[in-house]
Amino acid sequence: MTRWPPITASATLPPGQAGSRRVTSNDNPLILQVALAARLRQTLDYLPPAGSEALARPGMRVEVPLGRRSTVGYITGLARESTLPRSRLRAVHALLDPVPLWDDTVLGLLCWAAAYYHHPLGDVLAAALPAALREGAAATAEVTLWQLSAAGLEALAGGPRLGKRQQELVARLKEGPVTADELSGTGLREALRGLARRGWIESFAEPVPPPPAGHGSGLAPTLTDAQRTACDAITGSLGGFAAWLLHGVTGSGKTEVYLQLIRRVLEAGQGALVLVPEIALTPQLVARFRNRLAVPIVTLHSSMTDTERLSAWRAAHSGAAPVVIGTRSAVFTPLPGLGLVVVDEEHDPSYKQQEGFRYSARDLAVARAQRQGVPVVLGSATPSLESLHNVAEGRYRRLALPERTGRAGKPRIAVVDLRHHAARDGLAQPVIAAIERHLADRGQVLVYLNRRGYAPTLYCTGCGWIAPCPACDARLTVHMRRARLTCHHCGTDEPMPFGCPKCGSEVRPVGQGTERVEHALNDLFPGVPLVRVDRDVIRRRGDIERALEKVATGKARILLGTQMLTKGHDYPDVTLVAILNADQGLFGADFRASERLAQQIVQVSGRAGRGDRPGEVLIQSAFPDNPLLTSLVTEGYEGFANRALAERQAAGWPPYSRLALLRADGPDRGEVFAFLREARDLAGGAGEVRILGPAAAAMERRAGRYRAQLLLESPARGPLQRLLDAWLPQVEALKAPRRIRWSMDVDPIEVD
Ligand code: ADP
Ligand code: ZN
Ligand code: ZN
């Protein structure tokens, strides 16, 4: 573990200020409540470090003794009393930060989130930091500069003998201070060390300059009436908490509304936090913000290096960058004077962290705004059913942007009945005919299939054998070009067999993935350039921009891909959208499957077409009478959402109930179920909370481990939280075999 230099009063505060915050009462001196970055649910009490008692504040890191080791923790609170006698409390070794990492609001949010999601607090705090800070980097950014010292100047006046490098360095230093980094590659760093040893140079620290500001010279368009109404309403709520659902189709001008609101917030000397789904955080989006806002803007997303994330975090923390645009974990970024929170595409499942500290960044964004007393704007063309329900309940207020700026009306949507039109390689005749028609009209065509690979199944024509994943309850997907069979759940990757390993007969790929449809389209429309977008071909950041550039410039006429296509990009020349497999979503194992499908259909359709070219959308389904599908086609997303909400209510699913999921997995099925049964028994009569299971997961075996779960269902938050508070410590104390892993997921977004 990295060791920090301890912070001492003299090193961090100007003379005279040290001790000014000293506790003056004669009560017991302070006790520090410290969360350790470990699986501990409680904080531990420590005494402040000798000599700097008065500097300790919540949100600072400390080095503390733990047994015979020492470890790093976070001060989460100050107290006068401990459950332990003072004589048994140990003192913190060192205070590691001169200033808190988080203000009281964010620290309060993090403590609340740890309690709500039932995750160890130290782990939550660590998860909220960029890796570099977890590993010991300083919270404030300073550069160390070197200059000639008085002693050095005096010595140099005597004309000492210097090496060539030293002479060169002295010449540079006479022009002004330098940083060690500026000298890298010049061969002068060694000379710098030499002069430092003699005491001829001295260092001093300066804050790093803020990141460059956007030029902000871009012109704001005149807002449409709907945009103005939304802007005015939200502006009126600045300075207090309010949750707004900005419901507007893609291209209706939501981002424009965010930009104008952020301008107001900046004019008031405050900052804004903007959350976007991972894939939507493109250079174009950031450029659009920089073009309009003349302040430093930083981004935070997963493909930044640790160093980049650290400097972005520092710029936000110090207030140097008042606008932060980031993905999920950016919700924890400290931002002094936060005045507005925006969550774009609030329905997006990527806001849910699915591992470790499982949280919903969307929900935490609302909680943060509430604690901060500022408005939060949740934007979407396809709001989550939760948010629509919150509107119905009066917790959120809805603002609609019904029209696309500069575009024709809604696309025409029709269902192609697969019972009457057999599909060849996934494409039914009416869809093929429509593609032909639109291509002939010089339109572009978007073909959507949420399944990558060539085919989801390899089947033996002789004995019916189906290529299984050896480690999962799943079939291997055929990847024809690579001639491999791969498992999309565990990564198993095998060569494709030439014949059936059981009987030697011919094997055949069954079903379609994007790779197969690409072949089919190339055969049907030879010479028509096609771009495919899925995880097999888009691997690095920037790949998708390059692929879509071909569509934007008209070099490609057919765009084929998975749900990667549903986010963040517009396809203005696309006049036909074909959805090849709607039934996957209608009959998914999860209760949210149809919501996801509807969102994907509406999102992908909404990104196509513009003014002079109304779009056409064709959805292939073998179940065209499905009521959810019919309501989507005839009444649009809102019709669908009303019906889906009614179904959820009838079934007692969220948002009409609250769920928590205790998942467990292990190499032995019996052990996993025994553990879950024991856990279940500990809950006793759970009162209003129903406990269902243990039940096997939809895919029971994955990567060689058996997976099962207990589902807790409660009519409201309160009873569920009370049960979890009492029950989880007991589950934790269970002597389960070490091979069993388990986790708690509060408000899970997938329950299969
Ligand atoms: P959304 O975020 O809802 O997808 P955008 O804010 O990106 O919508 O707007 C879509 C397009 O319309 C953008 O090119 C934007 O510059 C433009 N636009 C937005 N509002 C207006 C307006 N009031 N007048 C003219 N163009 C606008
Ligand atoms: Zn066979
Ligand atoms: Zn597998």
Side-chain angles (χ1 to χ4, degrees), residues 446-522:
L446 188 156
V447 179
Y448 177 78
L449 173 62
N450 204 8
R451 190 191 273 146
R452 66 196 170 89
Y454 188 84
T457 307
L458 186 70
Y459 171 80
C460 168
T461 50
C463 72
W465 172 83
I466 284 173
C469 172
C472 305
D473 292 333
R475 295 165 178 186
L476 292 175
T477 299
V478 180
H479 287 258
M480 197 67 104
R481 199 187 51 75
R482 293 192 298 124
R484 310 287 293 181
L485 295 177
T486 63
C487 174
H488 289 182
H489 308 285
C490 72
T492 290
D493 189 63
E494 305 177 347
M496 181 121 122
F498 292 104
C500 172
K502 287 269 183 321
C503 74
S505 310
E506 190 198 342
V507 287
R508 193 177 287 169
V510 177
Q512 297 81 35
T514 44
E515 190 190 345
R516 183 175 215 161
V517 174
E518 177 178 4
H519 280 273
L521 288 167
N522 281 333

Side-chain angles (χ1 to χ4, degrees), residues 221-224 227 249-256 288 405:
T222 310
L223 294 183
T224 62
Q227 283 174 319
V249 299
T250 309
S252 61
K254 296 185 295 295
T255 309
E256 193 54 50
R288 191 167 164 199
T405 60

